[in-house]
Amino acid sequence: MTNRRRSNAPRGGSRTRQITPRTHWLLLSVLAVTLSMTLLLQGYTHHMFGITSDAVTGARGRDDTVPSQVTRGGPVIANAATTAHTAKVKARTIALTFDDGPDPVWTPRILDVLRRNHVHATFFIVGTQAVAHPELVRRIVAEGHQIGIHTFTHPDLARLAPWQRSLELRETQLAVAGAAGVTTALLRPPYSSRNDALDNADWAVLKQADPAGYVTVLATQDAEDWQRPGVERILAHATPHGHAGQIVLMHDAGGDRSQTVAALSTLVPRLKAQGFKFATVSDAVGMAAPVHPAGLADHLQGLALITALQGGDWIVWLLGLLMYAAGAVSVLRALVVLFAARRHRRLRRRGLGWSSGPPVTEPVSVIVPAYNESAGIEAAVRSLLASNHPVEIIVVDDGSTDGTADLVESLHLPVRVIRQQNAGKPAALNSGLAAASWDLVVMVDGDTVFEPDTVRMIVQPFADPRVGAVSGNAKVVNRGGLLGRWQHIEYVVGFNLDRRLFDIAQCMPTVPGAVGAFRRRALMDLGGVSDATLAEDTDLTMALCRNGWRVVYEEGARAWTEAPASLNALWRQRYRWCYGTLQAMWKHRGALVQRGPAGKLGRRGLVYLLLFQVLLPLLAPVVDIFALYGLVFLDPVRIIGLWLAIQLLQLMMGLYAFRLDGERAGPLWSLPLQQFVYRQLMYLVVIQSLFTAVSGSRLRWQRMERYGSLQAPQGAKAPRNGHTSPEPGFAQAAQHEGLVQPPPYGGFQQPAPHETPHWY
């Protein structure tokens, strides 16, 4: 993953050109269409029809259009569409025919019996079987037997539309051409029997096949081996009465054909002894050779068809395996997350861990980086002033063009305002760190409102000297509409449950920019907030973990933030988050082989992020396509049942997470709807981010639109009349009177401001 330096183009009024890869969407579309077509073809060929008993056919209809010479004629029918004529089998001649193959078990055994007895037969091939076992088709041809086609998927042709009939015959012919390099003019429709069983629908099939050059081969003697009645009964049904020639119908596939093999071993020598000879269908009726070498085009198309269908089989197998794996991992994740959340709650209740230390009462510096935050900055500042913990508030205006700094100063509140040229959020945070007076620092976005006890709650974990940072509990304030509800659910169920797990596993990867607390000296050891990634909060948290600090989660430190109110805004926000997270993961990949806290981050946190925030979302489009495949071609009841089971699991997680956060469960009614819009948006974000990261393209500046929906809580300090400048903060007043001494170390060196107009 490549981190490119950002462009130095100025922001003021000019538009930053977005350089993002476009070809990947075309590639993704091609892959999705290819996968869909492959599954469609695979589903049609394997699940729409299939080899079933010859008894499975509809009731016989009228036969007034079937010519009488066909009804009373021989089993081989030619020129059905014009001047139909038939051919009978020569006397004392037996044409053994086998339907439904080739089968990898029974076809080789039948071929062995025929070879031992020096007999040739005719095999009517099912196209899907030829695709699955082309080597058996080649063996049939190589050993001198004749090939006929038995359709591609073994449907009742009389029940299909004309275009489907043509497709069935053409695809079977291509399968034979690709497998053995030959074409054949012999056709036996599935579920056909004798001439006198033909009805008008059957005759329409024969008439349609005639212009394509097919000669239809029916049967005169049905061994009825498909019923598996026993070897003796098969022999009785297959043995001719008298000396008339016969076309004997048997099967080399479609189930257990051990009785067929045993009966054939006896039938051939017995009929030979009675003076019968065995021949292929064409030799038995004296017709010209129906099998010819395939043309180059047909052979190549046949090979392509075989390759595509075999590839489809492999893809379906692989997708099935991935589905089971993903399902198992997802269920395991749910169980682990719920267990961790319960354990986290029990530890809190028992006063174990960091919460067992003495109360933290020392003052806190609150840094508010702001760029064009005029819509919500007043509410944010007033909420901080209403804190029941001593705070020093520093607003760093990073070159705003909407009067953010002027607005804060006009409020005449005890807030320090620092103005600087636009340099990006990391530079603004570093400016605040340089000006901060206290070792405990809280960072809050300009679109976020704190509750009165948020600051006090978020700094309590610092009673444990091992804690270097604390993540607060960010809550969505604008929950109206489906999009607002979905983000509210995601914050409570997704983010907060994960943070409890990360806390227990000691591998917290992110302290959110909306509400996070840090030890200033820990940040100073790192050189401040880095601008190497777009997710500076994730980068900073991972760096702290690798530097030996523990990062914990304080669910009671709640902060209210605005979430994107449109799909476009949500896309931009999550795109930046995901891309920045990928950058941070790549930057800190060395943690995978480190020991101590860094190793926990690498082998627990990074692996978790890779699995559940990168790999599984990448599989999501495939899962959706495969789910549609299952609804159409597999058991829809089973697919719907699995979907409902997943929804039930997610609902259980949601109910527990909402209970932990003290939230009403009402919004969870919209949880199933997330699967149809929100989920797709999230996995498309991951795909876009991954392509951007791999290609090394620069992600342009993106800033979420503010809606002004935040309000300061009751108790916020009102402006004092008569003041022309902000009052000194708590820290400055305390130092002036000598009540509190400033930190013993020197001031933080502010890095040179960037010229890049990026803000996140």
Side-chain angles (χ1 to χ4, degrees):
M1 188 176 301
T2 303
N3 292 329
R4 299 276 183 90
R5 291 189 61 86
R6 301 171 187 140
S7 169
N8 292 328
R11 175 179 47 214
S14 63
R15 185 173 299 176
T16 304
R17 183 170 178 263
Q18 182 177 9
I19 304 175
T20 55
R22 298 298 183 185
T23 55
H24 69 273
W25 287 123
L26 177 61
L27 176 62
L28 180 63
S29 300
V30 170
L31 290 176
V33 171
T34 301
L35 177 61
S36 301
M37 295 303 297
T38 299
L39 291 178
L40 182 64
L41 180 60
Q42 203 273 351
Y44 177 86
T45 57
H46 288 73
H47 302 291
M48 285 295 290
F49 307 102
I51 299 173
T52 55
S53 166
D54 281 0
V56 180
T57 186
R60 186 168 182 266
R62 298 178 59 183
D63 61 357
D64 52 287
T65 63
V66 183
S68 58
Q69 67 268 26
V70 172
T71 303
R72 299 190 301 268
V76 179
I77 305 170
N79 299 330
T82 54
T83 55
H85 64 272
T86 66
K88 295 184 178 180
V89 182
K90 301 174 184 176
R92 291 185 175 275
T93 301
I94 301 295
L96 292 174
T97 62
F98 297 92
D99 288 4
D100 300 347
D103 181 273
V105 175
W106 307 113
T107 301
R109 298 185 185 183
I110 289 173
L111 289 173
D112 291 341
V113 173
L114 297 176
R115 182 174 56 190
R116 286 196 301 270
N117 289 276
H118 307 289
V119 168
H120 290 152
T122 302
F123 289 80
F124 288 93
I125 301 296
V126 173
T128 54
Q129 293 294 103
V131 167
H133 311 289
E135 72 285 352
L136 292 179
V137 181
R138 289 191 289 271
R139 178 181 171 183
I140 291 172
V141 174
E143 294 185 2
H145 303 288
Q146 207 161 69
I147 290 285
I149 67 172
H150 199 46
T151 72
F152 199 74
T153 61
H154 203 271
D156 185 350
L157 291 176
R159 297 174 180 269
L160 298 185
W163 69 267
Q164 285 181 286
R165 298 172 190 166
S166 299
L167 180 64
E168 287 283 334
L169 301 184
R170 176 59 179 166
E171 297 304 292
T172 313
Q173 196 72 259
L174 288 177
V176 172
V182 298
T183 59
T184 178
L186 299 181
L187 165 67
R188 174 173 285 167
Y191 312 109
S192 61
S193 57
R194 300 182 305 181
N195 294 54
D196 56 7
L198 292 173
D199 61 15
N200 293 344
D202 298 325
W203 184 242
V205 172
L206 270 59
K207 291 175 66 177
Q208 182 179 346
D210 176 59
Y214 288 105
V215 174
T216 303
V217 179
L218 303 178
T220 58
Q221 197 97 23
D222 188 352
E224 297 187 8
D225 57 335
W226 50 271
Q227 300 188 66
R228 293 193 287 276
V231 174
E232 292 303 321
R233 291 187 61 82
I234 293 175
L235 285 171
H237 290 307
T239 300
H241 301 285
H243 302 294
Q246 305 291 338
I247 294 181
V248 179
L249 170 61
M250 304 182 83
H251 299 81
D252 65 328
D256 185 350
R257 297 300 175 221
S258 57
Q259 294 181 8
T260 302
V261 176
L264 186 65
S265 300
T266 302
L267 178 67
V268 174
R270 178 185 294 179
L271 292 182
K272 278 189 174 183
Q274 294 177 8
F276 284 91
K277 65 179 181 178
F278 292 86
T280 61
V281 167
S282 61
D283 290 340
V285 299
M287 65 178 290
V291 179
H292 303 281
L296 179 61
D298 284 346
H299 181 58
L300 293 178
Q301 290 181 58
L303 289 175
L305 176 65
I306 292 173
T307 301
L309 289 179
Q310 288 182 342
D313 292 341
W314 182 84
I315 289 174
V316 169
W317 174 84
L318 179 61
L319 291 181
L321 181 64
L322 291 175
M323 291 284 288
Y324 281 114
V329 169
S330 298
V331 172
L332 179 62
R333 176 204 184 189
L335 296 176
V336 170
V337 167
L338 290 176
F339 172 80
R342 179 174 176 80
R343 179 171 174 79
H344 189 269
R345 185 183 189 188
R346 293 174 64 184
L347 290 176
R348 289 291 308 277
R349 283 182 171 180
R350 294 178 182 178
L352 301 177
W354 50 260
S355 60
S356 60
V360 176
T361 59
E362 63 182 277
V364 175
S365 295
V366 181
I367 303 173
V368 186
Y371 170 71
N372 287 351
E373 297 287 359
S374 60
I377 193 65
E378 179 177 356
V381 169
R382 291 186 181 279
S383 73
L384 295 172
L385 289 172
S387 298
N388 55 24
H389 191 93
V391 295
E392 169 196 36
I393 303 174
I394 304 172
V395 175
V396 183
D397 182 274
D398 191 54
S400 297
T401 59
D402 67 344
T404 298
D406 295 335
L407 174 60
V408 175
E409 290 178 343
S410 69
L411 298 175
H412 303 296
L413 296 175
V415 177
R416 182 178 178 185
V417 177
I418 298 176
R419 299 171 182 259
Q420 66 178 34
Q421 291 184 349
N422 179 258
K425 184 176 181 180
L429 291 172
N430 287 329
S431 296
L433 286 172
S437 302
W438 307 109
D439 184 50
L440 298 185
V441 176
V442 172
M443 297 180 182
V444 53
D445 288 340
D447 64 339
T448 302
V449 165
F450 275 18
E451 295 182 354
D453 62 350
T454 299
V455 174
R456 178 180 60 82
M457 293 293 294
I458 202 171
V459 298
Q460 295 311 305
F462 290 114
D464 184 342
R466 298 172 300 172
V467 173
V470 183
S471 168
N473 185 351
K475 314 288 287 183
V476 174
V477 67
N478 51 331
R479 304 176 180 181
L482 280 177
L483 191 59
R485 290 189 182 94
W486 289 338
Q487 292 178 87
H488 171 45
I489 292 172
E490 184 181 26
Y491 272 63
V492 175
V493 181
F495 298 162
N496 289 346
L497 282 183
D498 278 350
R499 288 191 182 108
R500 291 180 174 93
L501 171 63
F502 293 141
D503 194 351
I504 293 295
Q506 300 181 28
C507 60
M508 187 78 67
T510 304
V511 171
V515 52
F518 302 86
R519 290 191 190 274
R520 184 169 177 266
R521 65 176 181 269
L523 300 183
M524 184 176 66
D525 290 341
L526 297 175
V529 182
S530 171
D531 65 348
T533 72
L534 293 183
E536 76 290 329
D537 47 5
T538 300
D539 184 14
L540 183 62
T541 308
M542 291 182 178
L544 286 171
C545 290
R546 296 187 68 186
N547 216 28
W549 292 99
R550 184 177 175 190
V551 182
V552 300
Y553 174 54
E554 172 47 65
E555 60 193 51
R558 295 185 297 182
W560 298 86
T561 185
E562 284 187 326
S566 67
L567 289 176
N568 185 44
L570 178 63
W571 171 276
R572 294 197 305 270
Q573 182 198 67
R574 297 311 171 86
Y575 181 22
R576 178 185 65 80
W577 284 6
C578 185
Y579 182 77
T581 300
L582 290 173
Q583 287 180 309
M585 290 171 62
W586 183 255
K587 178 180 177 180
H588 296 285
R589 64 191 183 279
L592 290 168
V593 296
Q594 291 182 288
R595 296 182 179 180
K600 293 177 182 178
L601 170 70
R603 290 182 289 278
R604 298 176 186 177
L606 294 186
V607 170
Y608 186 91
L609 294 178
L610 178 65
L611 185 60
F612 294 107
Q613 293 193 20
V614 179
L615 296 182
L616 282 183
L618 287 178
L619 286 177
V622 178
V623 170
D624 290 346
I625 293 175
F626 196 72
L628 293 176
Y629 167 83
L631 287 174
V632 175
F633 296 111
L634 302 180
D635 183 1
V637 176
R638 180 184 176 189
I639 299 299
I640 294 175
L642 290 174
W643 185 82
L644 290 176
I646 294 173
Q647 296 307 305
L648 179 61
L649 178 62
Q650 292 182 343
L651 178 61
M652 293 173 58
M653 292 181 64
L655 289 171
Y656 188 62
F658 270 56
R659 179 183 175 187
L660 290 178
D661 267 26
E663 295 280 358
R664 295 175 53 193
L668 290 175
W669 71 264
S670 65
L671 186 60
L673 299 178
Q674 272 190 324
Q675 308 301 312
F676 301 105
V677 179
Y678 196 82
R679 177 172 167 271
Q680 281 73 16
L681 182 68
M682 292 303 103
Y683 69 58
L684 289 176
V685 164
V686 173
I687 292 171
Q688 169 81 354
S689 302
L690 189 62
F691 271 99
T692 304
V694 171
S695 66
S697 297
R698 175 177 61 86
L699 182 62
R700 74 172 182 175
W701 169 79
Q702 300 176 58
R703 177 185 172 275
M704 196 188 84
E705 180 183 356
R706 306 307 185 197
Y707 312 104
S709 57
L710 296 169
Q711 294 182 358
Q714 295 295 325
K717 296 180 181 179
R720 298 186 179 183
N721 295 329
H723 281 275
T724 58
S725 61
E727 295 182 358
F730 174 90
Q732 290 89 335
Q735 291 179 33
H736 179 72
E737 298 184 14
L739 300 177
V740 182
Q741 295 298 320
Y745 43 80
F748 195 91
Q749 293 298 319
Q750 180 180 354
H754 298 279
E755 296 179 4
T756 309
H758 279 251
W759 239 80
Y760 318 112

